[in-house]
Amino acid sequence: MYTKFQIALQYFPESIDTPNNAVQRLRKALLRNKELLAELQNVGYNAKSKVFTSRELALIYEYLGEP
């Protein structure tokens, strides 16, 4: 499992000084991508969770590309 913070910083490394901003930016990217969001929900994604499972992370990489 990977924390949302860890993954967010991989996608938005310029946000290292404002970690909440990185997580918010990642959350917005997920919400904008309706197909990805639907796939995540199909595998049990919980928006309030602090971590991504390996399956969720694989889907994120598939849709957003690897950071």
Side-chain angles (χ1 to χ4, degrees):
M1 295 196 166
Y2 304 89
T3 67
K4 289 182 179 180
F5 172 70
Q6 289 171 315
I7 303 306
L9 282 182
Q10 289 180 15
Y11 279 99
F12 306 104
E14 68 279 1
S15 299
I16 189 72
D17 294 329
T18 55
N20 287 338
N21 186 33
V23 174
Q24 289 174 0
R25 290 177 68 184
L26 179 59
R27 183 181 57 82
K28 287 179 183 178
L30 298 179
L31 291 174
R32 280 192 304 267
N33 192 321
K34 301 298 182 190
E35 289 178 28
L36 170 56
L37 190 57
E39 291 280 349
L40 287 170
Q41 290 170 340
N42 285 339
V43 297
Y45 172 68
N46 178 354
K48 295 185 182 204
S49 174
K50 301 287 185 196
V51 297
F52 288 118
T53 66
S54 57
R55 180 68 184 126
E56 291 167 347
L57 188 56
L59 287 168
I60 291 168
Y61 287 166
E62 179 182 331
Y63 281 85
L64 300 182
E66 291 197 32

